[in-house]
Amino acid sequence: MTDTSSLYDLAPIAWLMAAGVLIALGPLIWVWRRNAGHGPARRLHALTVLTLFLTFDLTLFGAFTRLTDSGLGCPDWPGCYGNASPVGARHEIAMAQSAQPTGPVTHSKAWVEMVHRYLATGVGVLILVLAVATWIVRLRQSWNGAPPVDGRDHATLSAGWPTFTLIWVSLQGAFGAMTVTWKLFPAIVTLHLLGAIVLLALLCLQAVHYRQAAADRLPTPVSPALRNGLIATTVLLVLQIALGGWVSTNYAVLACTQFPTCQGSWWPPMNFAQGFEIWRHLGVTGEGQPLDFSALTAIHYAHRLMAYAVFVALGLLAWRLRRIDALRPQAHWLAGLALLQLATGLGNVLLGWPLAAAVLHTGGAAALAVVLTWALCESRRKAAVTVAATATARADDNARGTSTTPTSKKAPA
C-alpha cells in the first residue's frame, strides 16, 4: 500500500506561518509601545504606515528574487523540498546544484526564495492584525455605546478597507504559490507584480485616510481637469508597470541595447502577435514553439514607447501639482521619481541590466504608484462643491427676490 501521508504534511506551512508571526512581532510591539498613550486610530495609523513601509521593502526584495533567478530556488511550495527551510533540504539542493550548477536551484537561491516567503508571511500577519484590530474597536464602540476616543474614530476606523486588504493579500499569497508551482509562467508573475502594486495602493489609501481624520481635515479641492489628469496618469502608470513586468518576466530587457534606437533602427523587426500572446509558458509560444527574438523586441519596444508618454504625463502633472501648496510634496516626489526611472531605465539598457539599476527601477515604479495614490487621496474635485454652493446661493437669492446671475447692459437705442 502506498504511503500518501507526505501529501498531507502541514509542517512546512505551519513553520512558514510561525516564521511570519515572529517577523511581525517586532513591528507590532514597537507600534504598541510607541503609541501606548494614544487612541486606537493613532495606533492603527502607525501600524498601517509601518506595514506600508515593510510591504514596499517586500516588493523590492521580490524584484531582487526575480532578477537573481531565485524564483525557483525552492521548486515546491510552501516549504523547500518539503522542509521548513533550506537547512533541511541540503541534500536535495546539493543534488540539483551538482546536476546543473548554474540552474535555478542553488543553496544561495534557495535562501533568497525562502526569505522572501518568510517576509511575505510576516506582512500578511501584520495585515491580518490590522483588520482584526479594526473590527474589535468598531464592535466595542458599537456594543458599549461609548463616544469615539478622539471624536472621529467612527469615521476613521472603517473596517471595509482593512478587510478588503486582507482578502487581497491572501490572493497575493495564492499568486505567489502559483508563481513557483507554474514554473514562472509569465502572466502569473506579471499579475503577482501588479497585485503587489495594488496592495501598496490599498495601504497608502488607509494611511492617508487615518492622517486626514486625525488632523480633522478634508482633501484639497482641485479643478476637474487636474483631477482627471491625476486619474489618467495613474492609469498610464499601471499600464506601464504591467508592460515592465512583461518585459522582466520574459527576459526581454536586452532585446534592445541601444538608445534611443533599437538594433540600429527606429523601428526594428517586431512580432507583436507572438510577444503579447499572454497565456503561454516562458520562452515559448502557445503552440510550444520557441519565441522569436522579434517577439522579445516587440515586448521591449512597447514598454519603451509607453515610457515616453508616462514620463511626459508625470512631468506635466508634477508641474500642475506644484502650484497647489497642499500637493507640492507629491509634485516634488513625482518629479524626482520620474527622473530616477529615466536614469535606471537607461542604465538597464546601456549597462547590460545591472542588478542594482533593475531593482531600483522596480522600486521607482512602486513608489510612483504610492505617490499617485497619495495625491488622489489628498485631492477631490472642486466642481461638486462649487455646484452645490452655487445652487444654495441661488435658492437663497430667489427667496429674497434677487438673482446671482449677472445682467447684461441694454444696447443703446
Side-chain angles (χ1 to χ4, degrees):
M1 183 174 180
T2 304
D3 182 14
T4 59
S5 60
S6 59
L7 298 176
Y8 305 97
D9 185 8
L10 299 179
I13 196 167
W15 279 108
L16 188 66
M17 293 174 65
V21 170
L22 288 175
I23 291 172
L25 273 178
L28 287 172
I29 293 172
W30 183 83
V31 167
W32 184 266
R33 289 175 62 88
R34 189 175 178 85
N35 298 275
H38 300 282
R42 175 68 177 271
R43 291 197 297 270
L44 290 174
H45 171 260
L47 179 58
T48 304
V49 172
L50 184 59
T51 304
L52 172 61
F53 174 75
L54 295 176
T55 304
F56 182 81
D57 292 343
L58 176 63
T59 303
L60 289 180
F61 197 81
F64 176 81
T65 302
R66 183 178 70 254
L67 293 165
T68 55
D69 293 326
S70 301
L72 295 179
C74 289
D76 55 337
W77 192 93
C80 190
Y81 288 98
N83 295 275
S85 78
V87 174
R90 293 188 303 271
H91 178 66
E92 291 85 350
I93 296 172
M95 290 183 61
Q97 187 171 351
S98 62
Q100 197 174 359
T102 59
V105 180
T106 65
H107 287 286
S108 60
K109 291 178 180 180
W111 273 111
V112 170
E113 171 63 13
M114 287 307 298
V115 168
H116 179 250
R117 296 183 195 180
Y118 298 148
L119 294 176
T121 308
V123 167
V125 171
L126 289 174
I127 292 174
L128 173 62
V129 171
L130 185 62
V132 172
T134 305
W135 275 107
I136 289 174
V137 171
R138 289 299 304 271
L139 291 175
R140 281 180 177 175
Q141 291 176 351
S142 177
W143 290 339
N144 298 336
V149 176
D150 59 6
R152 289 184 59 83
D153 276 352
H154 281 297
T156 305
L157 304 182
S158 171
W161 285 116
T163 303
F164 183 75
T165 305
L166 177 60
I167 295 172
W168 190 265
V169 80
S170 300
L171 291 174
Q172 265 297 89
F175 272 108
M178 292 172 66
T179 296
V180 176
T181 56
W182 287 38
K183 309 303 179 186
L184 304 182
F185 199 84
I188 298 299
V189 178
T190 303
L191 286 174
H192 192 48
L193 171 63
L194 289 175
I197 300 300
V198 173
L199 182 60
L200 288 169
L202 288 170
L203 291 167
C204 179
L205 181 151
Q206 294 169 68
V208 174
H209 182 62
Y210 282 125
R211 191 175 66 172
Q212 288 172 346
D216 196 15
R217 62 179 175 81
L218 294 173
T220 302
V222 298
S223 66
L226 181 54
R227 181 71 179 176
N228 292 336
L230 261 170
I231 295 172
T233 304
T234 303
V235 172
L236 282 176
L237 178 69
V238 172
L239 179 58
Q240 176 67 346
I241 291 174
L243 288 172
W246 195 243
V247 170
S248 181
T249 56
N250 284 280
Y251 298 90
V253 174
L254 299 181
C256 295
T257 56
Q258 298 172 323
F259 185 86
T261 60
C262 175
Q263 301 170 16
S265 171
W266 289 100
W267 195 260
M270 291 180 282
N271 188 335
F272 286 95
Q274 225 183 60
F276 289 93
E277 184 182 4
I278 303 301
W279 206 250
R280 56 175 175 77
H281 288 280
L282 179 62
V284 297
T285 65
E287 290 76 26
Q289 300 299 317
L291 211 61
D292 292 340
F293 188 73
S294 60
L296 299 180
T297 305
I299 294 171
H300 179 111
Y301 215 63
H303 179 62
R304 182 183 293 192
L305 293 176
M306 178 61 74
Y308 299 143
V310 173
F311 186 79
V312 172
L314 288 171
L316 291 174
L317 182 62
W319 178 67
R320 292 287 305 277
L321 292 177
R322 193 172 180 275
R323 298 178 176 182
I324 303 173
D325 291 340
L327 300 176
R328 193 165 293 162
Q330 291 91 324
H332 293 161
W333 274 106
L334 288 176
L337 289 170
L339 292 174
L340 174 67
Q341 286 301 89
L342 176 63
T344 54
L346 289 176
N348 285 332
V349 172
L350 300 178
L351 300 178
W353 205 15
L355 180 60
V359 172
L360 279 176
H361 199 59
T362 300
L368 280 170
V370 171
V371 174
L372 283 173
T373 304
W374 179 20
L376 283 168
C377 294
E378 288 284 16
S379 63
R380 58 191 172 96
R381 288 182 185 273
K382 186 186 298 181
V385 177
T386 304
V387 169
T390 302
T392 303
R394 285 179 177 174
D396 293 340
D397 290 342
N398 290 335
R400 295 194 300 267
T402 60
S403 174
T404 57
T405 305
T407 56
S408 59
K409 294 182 180 180
K410 291 183 179 181

